[in-house]
Amino acid sequence: MKQIMEARHLKLAVLASGRGSNFDAICQAIGQKDLDAEIAVLISDKPNAPVLQKAAARGIETLHINPREFPGRDSYEAVLVNELKVRNVDLVVLAGYMRLVGSVFLAAYENRVLNIHPALLPSFQGLHAQQQALDYGVRISGCTVHIVDEGMDTGPIIMQKAVPVYDTDDEDTLAERILLEEHQAYWQSLQLIAEGRIWIEGRRVVIKNHPED
Ligand code: GRF
């Protein structure tokens, strides 16, 4: 069994492509001292992502790195990793980052990249997870915080929170209900890591009551 990292004040980088509500929720948890962390940098692959403004308004350093300016994913990720390393980032938080993470990134941050997905994995991986859940007709959906591996939404699961699905739901109402849970699940998962309580055994995550247990 392997510990993700020893208890520490976390130095985070957030990677995001869009709106940034999860980014905001993590910032709030830090501000309220629920989460023992700081955000060293917010990186977006999209020049007009609203999350860039949100980070700037909070006085957090922002970077836009355009993947299209690189010949391939490896060279893009090499630059990304360099930006993380020079800032001594110890954990990378994907928050609505709309790209698959590749081998260069994962080699540098093995078991140290987290993602949040708006469904109870392994159901409804990929895009439009809320619509997939509605189309399938499930009565319960939710969100999943997981460690990122090379698959799409396939890595070891840290936390899941469930919400009911109502007959009257559409994609937006279900997404909104799930989002409220996302905004709790992400910082709570990060805080478990900050407390040194997350261990991995195969694809199972074990949450210890105390790091030395
Ligand atoms: C969230 O629903 C998250 O689960 C998914 O992308 C969305 C990002 O929303 N990965 P936001 O940008 O954090 O508001």
Side-chain angles (χ1 to χ4, degrees):
M1 197 150 53
K2 210 167 130 194
Q3 190 179 24
I4 290 195
M5 65 181 86
E6 289 182 357
R8 73 179 68 163
H9 172 78
L10 297 175
K11 207 153 188 208
L12 305 174
V14 178
L15 268 59
S17 307
R19 175 178 60 182
S21 72
N22 276 289
F23 166 78
D24 259 345
I26 292 166
C27 290
Q28 265 177 39
I30 292 172
Q32 290 166 2
K33 303 205 183 308
D34 289 326
L35 171 58
D36 183 12
E38 65 190 75
I39 299 178
V41 62
L42 176 284
I43 304 178
S44 181
D45 56 331
K46 296 270 192 282
N48 301 318
V51 67
L52 285 165
Q53 310 300 328
K54 288 188 169 147
R58 288 182 180 275
I60 292 170
E61 186 191 4
T62 61
L63 282 181
H64 165 235
I65 306 178
N66 183 356
R68 292 192 190 160
E69 285 172 10
F70 299 88
R73 184 161 71 180
D74 286 0
S75 51
Y76 161 65
E77 290 193 343
V79 168
L80 204 56
V81 165
N82 187 53
E83 296 292 355
L84 302 173
K85 294 283 180 193
V86 295
R87 290 169 181 80
N88 295 316
V89 165
D90 33 43
L91 196 73
V92 183
V93 176
L94 308 185
Y97 177 67
M98 305 304 284
R99 316 191 148 259
L100 276 179
V101 170
S103 54
V104 170
F105 200 160
L106 289 175
Y109 280 92
E110 193 192 358
N111 290 333
R112 289 175 178 220
V113 184
L114 261 56
N115 183 42
I116 190 156
H117 183 73
L120 295 176
L121 292 172
S123 293
F124 315 128
Q125 297 163 339
L127 293 174
H128 298 291
Q130 302 93 335
Q131 187 62 51
Q132 291 185 54
L134 285 173
D135 292 345
Y136 196 91
V138 293
R139 294 294 183 186
I140 294 173
S141 191
C143 65
T144 305
V145 177
H146 65 94
I147 295 164
V148 173
D149 62 14
E150 291 210 32
M152 186 170 55
D153 305 321
T154 52
I157 292 170
I158 295 178
M159 190 179 289
Q160 295 185 301
K161 289 187 187 282
V163 304
V165 181
Y166 299 126
D167 294 340
T168 49
D169 271 329
D170 59 22
E171 189 176 10
D172 291 341
T173 58
L174 179 57
E176 206 176 312
R177 194 172 308 118
I178 293 172
L179 205 56
L180 290 175
E181 300 301 325
E182 292 185 38
H183 294 166
Q184 298 301 313
Y186 225 164
W187 72 259
Q188 290 173 1
S189 300
L190 291 165
Q191 181 56 22
L192 289 172
I193 295 173
E195 290 170 11
R197 292 171 56 191
I198 300 280
W199 296 68
I200 304 185
E201 192 169 34
R203 63 155 294 115
R204 287 189 60 228
V205 168
V206 176
I207 303 175
K208 297 201 174 187
N209 286 329
H210 192 272
E212 273 85 51
D213 285 353

